[in-house]
Amino acid sequence: MATARERAHARTLEKIVALGRDQLAEVGPARLSLREIARGLGMVSSAVYRYVASRDELLTLLIVDAYQELGQAVESAIAEPPDPRQQYAAAGHAVRHWALANPARYALVFGTPVPGYHAPAELTTGPGTRVIVALVRIFDAAWQAGALDVPQREPGPALLADLEEIAREYRLGLPPAGLAAAVTAWTGLFGAVSFEVFGQYGENTFRAPEELFEEQLAALATAAGLR
Amino acid sequence: MATARERAHARTLEKIVALGRDQLAEVGPARLSLREIARGLGMVSSAVYRYVASRDELLTLLIVDAYQELGQAVESAIAEPPDPRQQYAAAGHAVRHWALANPARYALVFGTPVPGYHAPAELTTGPGTRVIVALVRIFDAAWQAGALDVPQREPGPALLADLEEIAREYRLGLPPAGLAAAVTAWTGLFGAVSFEVFGQYGENTFRAPEELFEEQLAALATAAGLR
DNA sequence: CCATACCGAGAGCACTGCTCTCGAAAGTTC
DNA sequence: GAACTTTCGAGAGCAGTGCTCTCGGTATGG
């Protein structure tokens, strides 16, 4: 049961995260300022430290927040389509849309790790794995349904051990080579999205980025063996 | 002819970039401090503004510096192997090695755009395109040699126009679908490298990242039609 | 009803990027 | 070789940052 004090505390903490999110969008992660957030709350800067131990802790909160929202977006996007290939495409589109709508939060999570700051694994790994877990489940289901052409290449011995460990942990029937394919489909997806969001393509090189993305998705899905 | 003054100027500017590079490696882009660089030079902070107009300009210098070194590494790696698929693999390994050896500089260029800062296109696009240009040349040569299975998928109309424009600019024989494949091989490569360098895989999920990368390279090459 | 835990204010420290002025040295011109 | 101009480093200073400390007021739980 939450006391009134606890509820008030949680509410202003929520406000802090919201203001941080706004500021992130405006000025980016590195110029995120606790003092500015304090001003937004009508408090003095030191008061914010009652709620957040440091700037880094605020960053952690924002990272978890972003992971959760992206994970949620992907999971609900996947729910609809009937076959695995369309599910992968839906996941890809969900990632891209969220990233384009929230470039700063995407950058916070998938861009340069904030200098000096190292995300505490116990808080971030859970939310951070939602997307890859969702993708792997798609591939696992595809394999069960016989809709996955597992690549002929056999992973090297050490990689094989890693993959088997993961398959065991998540109770996957998916063979290691299929899991490796899922990982490539994952990293390839984020490579494509990151290049677009971070402006790595030139200014006007691609006037039809969504069509390029479509092409990339198709290539990645085929490469991963999704029929 | 460079006067003594100009040479001295160039030399301390070079020192500034070198110190910036060191500092980048230590504390990352956002905590890069002009004052610290001044201390390293035995100067007072205001003096470095004789050489560099702002922190952002220093960042630009470091970005160009990083692009050039990576481009150089990739170009010389490509020179050796005889066939296109091995050239692509060599390029991939060059990118990965450079990125792992210079994570901060890699992050500066391929990670989160530094907040507020927008790289001046006239300085960065040239060096910034060296890698993709090298990759496209591989694909173009492969196509000329009949070693490229151009994907059957036809790009959408707008994307087609973009691709044709690029092919014209760089005088490529490579058909649009092949160019699109090269782009996916490019973004997929950097997706894989970024995930490893930025620590997006968990702590101990992959104990054999180089074998995973090998697998990713093979999948991307095959997907792009390199035999 | 009162002791306690909480919470905001305020001052202050060390740091940052950046601007200004000033004097000295070096290079250029006559 | 003298006079002028450009360059460059030093120093002070401004506005901003994260973060720490202390000091009161206040709402809460026993």
Side-chain angles (χ1 to χ4, degrees), chain A residues 25-100:
Chain A
E26 281 177 36
V27 301
R31 287 194 196 169
L32 188 146
S33 157
L34 268 172
R35 285 184 126 102
E36 182 61 34
I37 288 178
R39 278 190 285 274
L41 284 169
M43 294 200 298
V44 90
S45 77
S46 62
V48 182
Y49 286 85
R50 299 281 173 202
Y51 299 89
V52 151
S54 68
R55 210 189 82 115
D56 282 5
E57 192 179 299
L58 175 57
L59 279 176
T60 302
L61 289 176
L62 290 169
I63 287 174
V64 171
D65 179 64
Y67 270 137
Q68 295 288 23
E69 201 173 293
L70 175 62
Q72 183 57 48
V74 167
E75 282 168 17
S76 58
I78 282 178
E80 297 159 24
D83 76 287
R85 191 177 169 114
Q86 284 176 46
Q87 285 181 315
Y88 174 72
H93 285 121
V95 171
R96 178 170 179 265
H97 277 132
W98 188 86
L100 289 175

Side-chain angles (χ1 to χ4, degrees), chain B:
Chain B
M1 61 216 74
T3 73
R5 205 172 232 178
E6 283 172 342
R7 288 196 298 121
H9 190 101
R11 219 182 43 206
T12 69
L13 186 60
E14 195 61 43
K15 269 191 194 170
I16 288 175
V17 173
L19 284 172
R21 198 155 46 189
D22 295 349
Q23 212 183 116
L24 211 59
E26 282 177 36
V27 299
R31 288 194 195 169
L32 189 147
S33 155
L34 269 171
R35 285 184 127 104
E36 182 60 36
I37 289 177
R39 278 190 285 273
L41 284 168
M43 293 200 299
V44 88
S45 78
S46 62
V48 303
Y49 284 85
R50 299 282 172 199
Y51 300 89
V52 153
S54 67
R55 210 189 81 116
D56 283 4
E57 192 178 300
L58 176 58
L59 279 177
T60 302
L61 290 176
L62 291 169
I63 286 173
V64 171
D65 179 64
Y67 270 136
Q68 295 287 22
E69 200 173 294
L70 175 62
Q72 182 58 47
V74 167
E75 282 169 17
S76 58
I78 282 177
E80 297 159 24
D83 75 289
R85 193 176 166 113
Q86 285 176 47
Q87 286 182 314
Y88 173 72
H93 284 121
V95 170
R96 178 169 179 265
H97 277 132
W98 189 86
L100 288 175
N102 304 278
R105 297 164 77 195
Y106 178 86
L108 179 63
V109 168
F110 293 102
T112 312
V114 179
Y117 164 83
H118 203 64
E122 65 276 15
L123 293 176
T124 53
T125 45
T129 51
R130 283 176 74 170
V131 172
I132 177 59
V133 167
L135 286 184
V136 164
R137 298 234 171 276
I138 294 176
F139 277 76
D140 196 47
W143 183 79
Q144 308 277 5
L148 187 72
D149 298 323
V150 177
Q152 292 301 335
R153 281 185 310 278
E154 267 305 307
L159 176 59
L160 198 67
D162 289 341
L163 293 169
E164 278 167 351
E165 166 111 18
I166 296 168
R168 208 175 308 126
E169 188 180 341
Y170 288 93
R171 301 174 208 292
L172 303 172
L174 188 64
L179 185 50
V183 171
T184 304
W186 177 48
T187 60
L189 164 62
F190 277 90
V193 172
S194 288
F195 264 44
E196 184 174 352
V197 174
F198 295 162
Q200 288 290 340
Y201 307 134
E203 288 291 297
N204 297 317
T205 0
F206 291 114
R207 265 156 296 193
E210 61 286 339
E211 282 186 15
L212 173 62
F213 183 67
E214 216 67 58
E215 171 63 28
Q216 290 166 316
L217 269 188
L220 289 169
T222 302
L226 287 175
R227 258 197 301 266

Side-chain angles (χ1 to χ4, degrees), chain A residues 147-158:
Chain A
L148 187 72
D149 299 322
V150 177
Q152 291 302 335
R153 283 184 310 278
E154 267 305 307

Side-chain angles (χ1 to χ4, degrees), chain A residues 134-179:
Chain A
L135 286 184
V136 164
R137 299 235 171 274
I138 294 176
F139 277 76
D140 196 47
W143 184 81
Q144 308 277 5
L148 187 72
D149 299 322
V150 177
Q152 291 302 335
R153 283 184 310 278
E154 267 305 307
L159 176 59
L160 198 67
D162 289 340
L163 293 170
E164 279 167 350
E165 166 109 17
I166 296 168
R168 208 174 309 124
E169 188 179 343
Y170 289 91
R171 301 175 209 292
L172 304 172
L174 188 65
L179 185 51

